[in-house]
Amino acid sequence: QVELQESGPGLVKPSETLSLTCTVSGGSISGYYWTWIRQPPGKGIEWIGYIYYSGGTNYNPSLKSRVTISVDTSKNQFSLILRSVTAADTAVYYCARDATRGGDFDYWGQGTLVTVSS
Amino acid sequence: DIQMTQSPSSVSASVGDRVTITCRASQSISSYLNWYQQKPGKAPQLLIHAASSLQSGVPSRFSGSGSGTDFTLSISSLQPEDFATYFCQQSYITPRTFGQGTKLENK
């Protein structure tokens, strides 16, 4: 059974950088696209972007200038960096696996709340 | 971006009822439509992929239909554990986009 677990600081100051890591267990990171998704409290869901296990990326244009997603296959991990954060970036951040059959997300992490506040 | 619009935003129903939720895309997405269930404090869970394919392990009372721009999620006989929020998501192009959600409440 594939499991994903997000880790990283729960509080980030405005204008600083948000950094999260997703650790994949129970399966290999190879052969799949790996995705970051966020959900502000009480609001809808926003796709941030994905990375293929070999390193190719695709980002949401609304965040592209501030986002970097990277992968470390030796650790079965992938990571999210979001620069110059504001209060609008406060959200639950999820990592998820793209099933690759058609862009649905079949496994998700539990999510981690990141609050942007001084 | 493709806009996904769900209706209704909320619905009240009782155990045993049949419920239908609608999702409309702002342009044709063929059958690249997925449905998720989310319970409070939990991650979304995939129910249906490719508009009508039931994800492994999901009860058969859930079904999906549609193609092009109009899609539906149906629950044939509501169970207590089905009260949750439901989201549609298009996977036709990037950026992937989600509907705003439909909250299914116990009447």
Side-chain angles (χ1 to χ4, degrees), chain B residues 56-106:
Chain B
S56 175
V58 174
S60 59
R61 63 180 179 274
F62 290 92
S63 63
S65 65
S67 66
T69 60
D70 295 317
F71 302 86
T72 59
L73 171 70
S74 296
I75 311 172
S76 62
S77 179
L78 269 177
Q79 298 301 300
E81 61 268 29
D82 299 338
F83 294 102
T85 300
Y86 294 84
F87 293 92
C88 61
Q89 174 242 332
Q90 65 82 17
S91 50
Y92 183 68
I93 59 171
T94 59
R96 310 292 191 215
T97 48
F98 291 79
Q100 81 280 12
T102 295
K103 188 172 184 179
L104 176 53
E105 298 175 304
N106 197 344

Side-chain angles (χ1 to χ4, degrees), chain A residues 100-118:
Chain A
T100 68
R101 61 195 165 199
D104 54 283
F105 308 117
D106 58 352
Y107 289 98
W108 296 62
Q110 65 184 27
T112 186
L113 174 63
V114 179
T115 302
V116 179
S117 175
S118 55

Side-chain angles (χ1 to χ4, degrees), chain A:
Chain A
Q1 175 77 349
V2 175
E3 294 186 352
L4 291 80
Q5 178 68 58
E6 304 90 351
S7 58
L11 180 65
V12 181
K13 289 182 169 55
S15 80
E16 296 192 346
T17 297
L18 178 160
S19 181
L20 297 173
T21 295
C22 183
T23 301
V24 180
S25 59
S28 175
I29 206 165
S30 296
Y32 292 93
Y33 292 85
W34 300 92
T35 296
W36 286 99
I37 289 164
R38 70 180 183 178
Q39 185 174 30
K43 296 186 178 179
I45 301 172
E46 181 178 33
W47 178 82
I48 298 171
Y50 67 57
I51 189 164
Y52 194 44
Y53 76 99
S54 58
T57 56
N58 189 325
Y59 302 134
N60 192 322
S62 68
L63 297 168
K64 187 174 183 177
S65 63
R66 298 193 292 132
V67 169
T68 300
I69 299 175
S70 59
V71 65
D72 186 338
T73 54
S74 68
K75 295 182 179 179
N76 243 31
Q77 293 177 334
F78 63 106
S79 298
L80 169 71
I81 290 178
L82 181 64
R83 295 173 289 274
S84 304
V85 298
T86 69
D89 295 310
T90 293
V92 176
Y93 285 76
Y94 296 101
C95 57
R97 190 181 82 168
D98 187 320
T100 68
R101 61 195 165 199
D104 54 283
F105 308 117
D106 58 352
Y107 289 98
W108 296 62
Q110 65 184 27
T112 186
L113 174 63
V114 179
T115 302
V116 179
S117 175
S118 55

Side-chain angles (χ1 to χ4, degrees), chain B residues 16-92:
Chain B
D17 286 352
R18 179 180 179 86
V19 172
T20 297
I21 297 169
T22 296
C23 180
R24 174 166 288 176
S26 59
Q27 67 182 75
S28 177
I29 57 171
S30 185
S31 294
Y32 290 90
L33 190 283
N34 312 299
W35 290 99
Y36 300 84
Q37 176 193 70
Q38 186 178 34
K39 296 182 178 178
K42 300 294 187 182
Q45 178 183 350
L46 180 65
L47 299 174
I48 302 283
H49 62 91
S52 60
S53 296
L54 195 67
Q55 173 69 358
S56 175
V58 174
S60 59
R61 63 180 179 274
F62 290 92
S63 63
S65 65
S67 66
T69 60
D70 295 317
F71 302 86
T72 59
L73 171 70
S74 296
I75 311 172
S76 62
S77 179
L78 269 177
Q79 298 301 300
E81 61 268 29
D82 299 338
F83 294 102
T85 300
Y86 294 84
F87 293 92
C88 61
Q89 174 242 332
Q90 65 82 17
S91 50
Y92 183 68

